[in-house]
């Protein structure tokens, strides 16, 4: 008989602003299982896990760990009971080494612990898990996937035997996802219980033993993963038929709208991140830019948008050289940008409506510096309706929206302008199946209206599904550009790893 390790009973959560996020949730997690939690944006997944981690208090309900009722007053209580949580936004100090970070986190438990002891403990743990992480490297120099492993190790060093991961894969490349899964399987063998939130049905199938599906603050079902198909999961989660995918036509390619010529761009540390990139973007096409994070794609698109200076080369918009134009002037030309991070694209202290007009203020000024709020509310309302944003009101602080709903506001704001050149980075990051489908359809619609879209995504399925053409970036250089039909996921994977086309035999 499976033994329950966590029992959450009739959990209700009403936030101070009156939002009922959980309406009586029961969740039982078995010892040693990998339990996936699936659910539409705003269903209450993060809220439920924050309650389990002691970060917020439920309005009512009971939690038992190993059969014993607990009452957490903060994460430290949860940590002491063996619960560890890894957030999407990591809590490591970027300028510290891995070891310094681990040391720091253990000092909170044991003031006298020495760096040598932390190193010994960590090496032992890494041996057990078959991991190699450079302990003396500075965290910010490590790929995201490795940073995430450091976060997991941090919780394990604090003796966590229950690990909560909230959308851990949305920041990872396909290869990193595989590595994470390998690690999770090892942890499972060591007896660790894992709760895993994701929107990707394939991941649910690949990693979990059981899956709980949530909808609007309630549990719809808990099932053995092996007994449900991806189609059934999609239906249970958001009531969507997976078989109707958007049709990608050849696209009517119009004028060349962007010409990037021999562009060189430096990163924050003054190192060359983009090394002589030449690329063209046409009207009526989606150009997919594939690459492992940290290979210059961020610096490249920031240079196109104007946030970052290119120190050599040129960017032309139709016949106009825009290389030294300001962000605002490029924006007025019709270049819009959705960054890969909501930290950059949204101002958390502002409300939904303010965030809806943030990048387009000049269109809402009536008279001198007076915002036409009724117009602003109309826009916000349009975004909320079209993108199905779940929010208590147009005045809700954006930080109170669930992750996926924040994403919808950010993408909706830029798309609603119908930009001529739309640069989108990880547009479906954190979105549920239905919202993902909606955003992808919207991109195709804009494309069919003759707009130009540069799609940066680590999700190769997304790149393959949407692109007319694909470019692969590696080490700041374009490895390959061509028609979508010339690529397979496997070939993209190799190119993203820097393996040249000539050496690939089909
Ligand atoms: N701090 C908060 N204050 C008020 N309401 C909140 C707060 N955090 C979340 N909510 C609301 O609670 C509901 C559930 O949000 P939650 O973040 O738990 O959803 P989720 O299932 O994690 O969604 P996603 O898949 O988008 O991350 C949403 O309606 C959200 O707006
Ligand atoms: Mg969430």
């Amino acid at each position: 008989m499976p033994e329950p390790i966590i029992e959450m009973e009739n959990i209700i959560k009403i936030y101070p602003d009156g939002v009922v996020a959980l309406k009586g949730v029961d969740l039982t997690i078995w010892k040693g299982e990998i339990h996936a939690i699936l659910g539409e944006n705003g269903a209450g997944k993060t809220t439920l896990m924050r309650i389990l981690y002691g970060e917020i208090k439920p309005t009512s309900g009971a939690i038992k760990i190993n059969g014993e009722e607990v009452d957490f007053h903060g994460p430290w209580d949860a940590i002491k009971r063996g619960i560890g949580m890894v957030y999407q936004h990591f809590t490591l100090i970027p300028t510290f080494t891995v070891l310094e970070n681990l040391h720091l986190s253990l000092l909170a438990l044991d003031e006298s612990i020495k760096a040598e002891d932390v190193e010994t403990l960590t090496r032992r743990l890494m041996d057990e898990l078959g991991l190699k992480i450079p302990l003396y490297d500075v965290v910010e120099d490590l790929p995201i996937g490795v940073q995430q492993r450091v976060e997991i190790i941090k919780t394990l060093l604090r003796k966590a035997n229950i690990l909560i991961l909230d959308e851990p894969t949305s920041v990872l490349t396909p290869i990193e996802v595989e590595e994470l899964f390998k690690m999770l399987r090892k942890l499972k063998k060591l007896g660790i219980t894992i709760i895993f939130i994701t929107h990707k049905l394939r991941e649910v199938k690949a990693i979990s033993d059981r899956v709980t599906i949530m909808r609007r603050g309630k549990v719809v079902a808990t099932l053995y993963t092996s007994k449900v198909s991806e189609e059934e999961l999609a239906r249970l989660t958001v009531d969507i038929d997976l078989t109707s995918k958007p049709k990608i036509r050849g696209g009517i390619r119009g004028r060349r709208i962007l010409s990037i010529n021999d562009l060189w761009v430096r990163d924050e540390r003054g190192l060359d991140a983009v090394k002589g990139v030449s690329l063209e973007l046409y009207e009526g096409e989606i150009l997919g830019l594939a690459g492992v994070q940290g290979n210059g794609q961020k610096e490249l698109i920031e240079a196109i948008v104007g946030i970052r200076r290119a120190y050599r080369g040129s960017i032309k918009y139709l016949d106009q050289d825009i290389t030294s134009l300001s962000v605002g002037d490029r924006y007025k030309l019709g270049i819009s940008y959705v960054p890969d991070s909501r930290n950059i694209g949204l101002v958390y202290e502002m409300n939904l409506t303010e965030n809806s007009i943030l990048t387009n203020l000049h269109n809402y000024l009536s008279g001198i510096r007076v915002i036409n709020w009724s117009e602003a509310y109309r826009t916000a309302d349009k975004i909320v309706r079209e993108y199905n944003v779940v929010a208590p009101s147009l005045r809700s602080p954006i930080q109170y929206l669930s992750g996926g709903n924040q994403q919808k506001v950010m993408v909706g704001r830029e798309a609603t302008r119908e930009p001529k050149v739309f640069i989108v980075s990880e547009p479906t990051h954190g979105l549920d199946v239905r919202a993902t489908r909606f955003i992808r359809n919207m991109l195709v619609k804009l494309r069919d209206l003759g707009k130009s879209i540069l799609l940066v995504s680590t999700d190769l399925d997304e790149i393959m599904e949407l692109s007319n053409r694909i470019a692969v970036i590696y080490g700041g250089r374009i490895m390959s550009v061509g028609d979508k039909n010339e690529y397979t996921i496997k070939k993209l994977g190799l190119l993203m790893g820097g393996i040249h086309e000539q050496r690939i035999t089909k």
Side-chain angles (χ1 to χ4, degrees):
M1 249 324 259
E3 200 183 323
I5 189 163
I6 295 168
E7 293 156 276
M8 298 183 86
E9 289 164 6
N10 200 18
I11 304 286
I12 293 175
K13 175 67 189 179
I14 306 171
Y15 279 109
D17 59 358
V19 171
V20 187
L22 300 173
K23 301 173 182 161
V25 167
D26 293 316
L27 177 71
T28 301
I29 307 287
W30 293 340
K31 203 168 269 180
E33 73 170 333
I34 301 185
H35 195 116
I37 297 186
L38 193 64
E40 60 189 352
N41 294 126
K45 305 177 294 293
T46 298
T47 301
L48 189 66
M49 290 305 116
R50 288 177 71 199
I51 288 173
L52 179 58
Y53 192 51
E55 219 187 309
I56 51 177
K57 287 211 121 215
T59 308
S60 66
I63 303 173
K64 287 185 196 152
I65 311 274
N66 289 316
E68 193 184 315
E69 190 156 340
V70 292
D71 180 19
F72 294 156
H73 294 280
W76 278 110
D77 291 338
I79 289 166
K80 282 184 208 138
R81 296 302 298 248
I83 300 176
M85 180 145 171
V86 174
Y87 295 92
Q88 240 179 12
H89 295 287
F90 301 149
T91 54
L92 302 170
I93 298 176
T95 51
F96 278 19
T97 65
V98 171
L99 194 58
E100 284 164 348
N101 266 289
L102 296 173
H103 191 187
L104 189 66
S105 98
L106 284 181
L107 278 174
L109 280 180
D110 171 4
E111 279 173 27
S112 60
I113 193 160
K114 295 203 189 59
E116 302 93 79
D117 303 334
V118 178
E119 177 160 357
T120 312
L121 287 171
T122 309
R123 294 210 185 275
R124 198 179 301 154
L125 184 63
M126 291 200 303
D127 279 347
E128 224 174 328
L129 293 172
L131 279 182
K132 283 196 188 70
I133 292 173
L135 296 183
Y136 290 98
D137 279 15
V138 173
V139 162
E140 66 185 357
D141 292 342
L142 297 171
I144 297 292
V146 178
Q147 294 187 25
Q148 189 179 58
R149 266 168 266 163
V150 176
E151 285 276 4
I152 296 176
I153 286 189
K154 193 169 103 180
T155 67
L156 297 174
L157 285 174
R158 289 170 171 174
K159 307 228 164 4
N161 60 352
I162 300 164
L163 190 60
I164 306 168
L165 301 156
D166 192 352
E167 295 187 41
T169 59
S170 56
V171 288
L172 302 182
T173 61
I175 299 157
E176 289 175 326
V177 171
E178 259 327 298
E179 281 166 9
L180 172 68
F181 282 6
K182 239 190 258 164
M183 178 171 183
L184 295 184
R185 288 189 190 108
K186 281 236 176 73
L187 291 175
K188 182 183 153 169
K189 272 205 193 114
L190 297 173
I192 305 231
T193 306
I194 296 163
I195 305 177
F196 185 97
I197 301 179
T198 182
H199 288 293
K200 303 207 171 120
L201 307 174
R202 192 197 295 172
E203 292 175 358
V204 172
K205 290 291 286 175
I207 193 75
S208 70
D209 302 302
R210 293 195 304 155
V211 52
T212 288
I213 296 143
M214 292 182 69
R215 235 197 234 193
R216 286 178 213 129
K218 284 193 175 146
V219 167
V220 179
T222 295
L223 306 158
Y224 284 101
T225 311
S226 59
K227 300 221 166 100
V228 273
S229 64
E230 284 187 32
E231 285 72 22
E232 284 169 292
L233 286 173
R235 233 177 348 87
L236 284 166
T237 318
V238 292
D239 218 349
I240 196 176
D241 182 5
L242 273 189
T243 46
S244 63
K245 288 208 172 170
K247 287 192 185 55
I248 301 295
R249 296 189 290 98
I252 305 157
R253 199 157 105 161
R255 295 174 297 175
R256 184 168 65 201
I257 193 151
L258 270 191
S259 325
I260 297 159
N261 190 20
D262 190 31
L263 207 69
W264 291 73
V265 186
R266 296 197 174 105
D267 65 15
E268 278 82 11
R269 288 174 295 172
L271 303 174
D272 282 331
V274 176
K275 302 171 183 167
V277 163
S278 298
L279 208 57
E280 292 170 337
L281 186 64
Y282 291 86
E283 288 174 334
E285 76 164 350
I286 298 178
L287 172 63
L289 183 63
V292 175
Q293 224 176 33
N295 276 277
Q297 54 273 66
K298 180 166 147 265
E299 288 80 4
L300 174 63
I301 56 181
E302 287 186 353
I304 301 174
V305 182
I307 305 171
R308 196 178 281 272
R309 207 175 61 89
Y311 73 90
R312 213 164 97 192
S314 68
I315 307 167
K316 262 168 72 180
Y317 179 86
L318 294 172
D319 287 326
Q320 182 183 359
D321 190 319
I322 61 164
T323 321
S324 46
L325 228 54
S326 73
V327 184
D329 286 339
R330 294 185 209 203
Y331 206 74
K332 280 182 202 148
L333 283 176
I335 301 178
S336 253
Y337 170 47
V338 173
D340 63 358
S341 161
R342 298 194 274 270
N343 287 335
I344 300 171
L346 297 170
V347 178
Y348 283 119
E349 289 72 25
M350 290 185 169
N351 72 27
L352 198 165
T353 300
E354 290 158 346
N355 269 286
S356 300
I357 61 165
L358 200 60
T359 50
N360 208 9
L361 267 185
H362 57 275
N363 280 343
Y364 295 87
L365 293 179
S366 58
I368 297 166
R369 310 228 170 275
V370 179
I371 290 175
N372 180 349
W373 282 109
S374 58
E375 198 55 42
Y377 280 113
R378 238 195 307 280
T379 302
D381 183 56
K382 183 169 177 234
I383 295 172
V384 165
R385 273 186 292 108
E386 282 183 11
Y387 288 78
N388 201 10
V389 177
V390 183
S393 92
L394 297 178
R395 289 187 183 80
S396 301
I398 204 84
Q399 58 187 339
Y400 291 172
L401 267 56
S402 78
N405 283 299
Q406 294 175 3
Q407 179 75 13
K408 292 183 212 168
V409 173
M410 184 168 74
V411 177
R413 174 186 69 208
E414 301 307 319
T416 305
R417 304 175 60 225
E418 297 203 354
K420 297 205 178 70
V421 174
F422 200 17
I423 300 170
V424 286
S425 189
E426 313 294 344
T428 59
H429 191 149
L431 294 183
D432 65 38
V433 187
R434 185 209 309 274
T436 297
R437 179 59 45 82
F438 182 85
I439 297 284
R440 290 184 184 167
N441 284 341
M442 180 273 292
L443 291 174
V444 169
K445 221 185 290 168
L446 286 176
R447 197 274 320 269
D448 288 345
L449 285 170
K451 316 292 181 192
S452 316
I453 293 157
L454 179 60
L455 167 70
V456 183
S457 181
T458 44
D459 183 341
L460 293 184
D461 289 325
E462 182 159 272
I463 294 265
M464 288 301 281
E465 183 178 324
L466 296 179
S467 308
N468 299 102
R469 286 191 307 139
I470 294 176
V472 183
I473 191 165
Y474 173 76
R477 297 195 168 88
I478 299 294
M479 291 285 289
S480 163
V481 200
D483 197 83
K484 189 271 252 342
N485 300 327
E486 294 168 25
Y487 298 93
T488 57
I489 297 238
K490 185 164 168 236
K491 182 171 168 182
L492 285 178
L494 288 168
L495 285 164
M496 282 163 60
I499 298 176
H500 252 296
E501 241 169 332
Q502 297 88 292
R503 290 171 44 193
I504 300 172
T505 43
K506 275 221 168 158

